[in-house]
Amino acid sequence: MKLREMIVDGRLAAGSAINEVHLAREMGVSRTPLREALSSLVSEGAIVQIPRRGFFVRELTIEEAQDIYMIRPVLDAEALRLSGLPSKEELQELQELTDALRKSTDVLESIRLDDEWFMAAWRNCPNQALIALIHQFMLKTRRYELAAMSQARIVASSSQSKQKIVDALRKGDLDEACRRMRLSLERGLIPVVEWLESR
């Protein structure tokens, strides 16, 4: 959904009012499908609707970040456990993505690689409901990541924690890989909270 992308990538800034007339014109759609999309995003929590005032992009808050970031460690680690140990080829793909993330200096590229890495890690998970849930939370965290990951040290830290997961998988230690994944995702909250507190 294009409207969701505009919120996720910051074109519609957190806290901003949504001008339906201008937005419909910019997107090349009528107001009816736009309102349907807005209502859908209200149910996802990306947008809030205030009676007699209209739609607003949800603010980024420490409370929401804490709620979101305490769930991904549980979901992703379980998806990795259910996926089992990766093949030699899959392990090579994870290593290449880790290396690319380490070298990346572009925020959008880093977030794309980060998402790709996780999707590759639990690609073989048989529980599709779990995967769908993780994808929903990936969208929720992306707005925070775009804001906080502008700092190169965060990208570097992310690649280091992923390397430890890859190393554990290479040794055949799935339990340690899952533990490292939980730890990595839990630590992902720290720079987000620091950024929110510094605004």
Side-chain angles (χ1 to χ4, degrees):
M1 181 192 298
K2 185 177 179 182
L3 185 57
R4 184 190 289 115
E5 290 174 9
M6 293 172 76
I7 293 170
V8 168
D9 67 20
R11 281 178 283 170
L12 290 174
S16 64
I18 294 175
N19 184 313
E20 293 179 52
V21 175
H22 292 161
L23 189 56
R25 187 180 306 124
E26 180 183 342
M27 295 177 67
V29 299
S30 69
R31 288 183 66 186
T32 300
L34 176 61
R35 277 197 156 254
E36 290 172 359
L38 288 167
S39 296
S40 174
L41 290 171
V42 167
S43 65
E44 288 183 19
I47 287 175
V48 292
Q49 184 176 17
I50 301 175
R52 295 181 296 282
R53 290 190 58 203
F55 295 95
F56 294 80
V57 179
R58 182 186 283 274
E59 289 276 9
L60 300 176
T61 66
I62 292 175
E63 293 75 21
E64 183 187 41
Q66 289 170 333
D67 287 347
I68 293 169
Y69 278 83
M70 71 181 289
I71 294 171
R72 283 269 325 258
V74 177
L75 299 180
D76 285 68
E78 179 61 10
L80 178 62
R81 186 187 70 78
L82 291 172
S83 295
L85 290 169
S87 67
K88 184 179 178 182
E89 293 75 21
E90 290 165 341
L91 199 55
Q92 180 60 32
E93 180 186 3
L94 282 171
Q95 185 62 64
E96 288 171 2
L97 287 166
T98 304
D99 294 341
L101 185 61
R102 183 182 298 111
K103 295 171 187 173
S104 177
T105 56
D106 178 77
V107 175
L108 291 175
E109 176 68 3
S110 297
I111 290 172
R112 183 190 67 76
L113 287 167
D114 193 69
D115 287 349
E116 265 191 57
W117 191 96
F118 280 105
M119 289 187 283
W122 35 250
R123 178 182 296 137
N124 297 322
C125 177
N127 188 329
Q128 292 307 302
L130 175 57
I131 297 304
L133 197 55
I134 294 173
H135 280 290
Q136 287 178 24
F137 277 91
M138 288 174 100
L139 289 171
K140 288 177 182 289
T141 56
R142 195 164 297 144
R143 290 198 306 147
Y144 287 91
E145 291 166 351
L146 277 166
M149 279 183 72
S150 58
Q151 303 170 52
R153 68 179 180 81
I154 297 171
V155 176
S157 173
S158 175
S159 65
Q160 289 166 9
S161 65
K162 286 175 178 58
Q163 185 62 61
K164 290 176 182 176
I165 299 167
V166 173
D167 291 344
L169 290 170
R170 188 175 284 116
K171 292 175 185 174
D173 193 340
L174 185 58
D175 287 342
E176 176 65 7
C178 291
R179 187 185 76 80
R180 289 283 183 182
M181 181 172 278
R182 279 193 300 273
L183 191 59
S184 173
L185 286 161
E186 286 167 359
R187 287 179 175 166
L189 174 63
I190 296 170
V192 170
V193 170
E194 287 176 352
W195 174 79
L196 288 165
E197 287 177 339
S198 70
R199 291 192 301 167

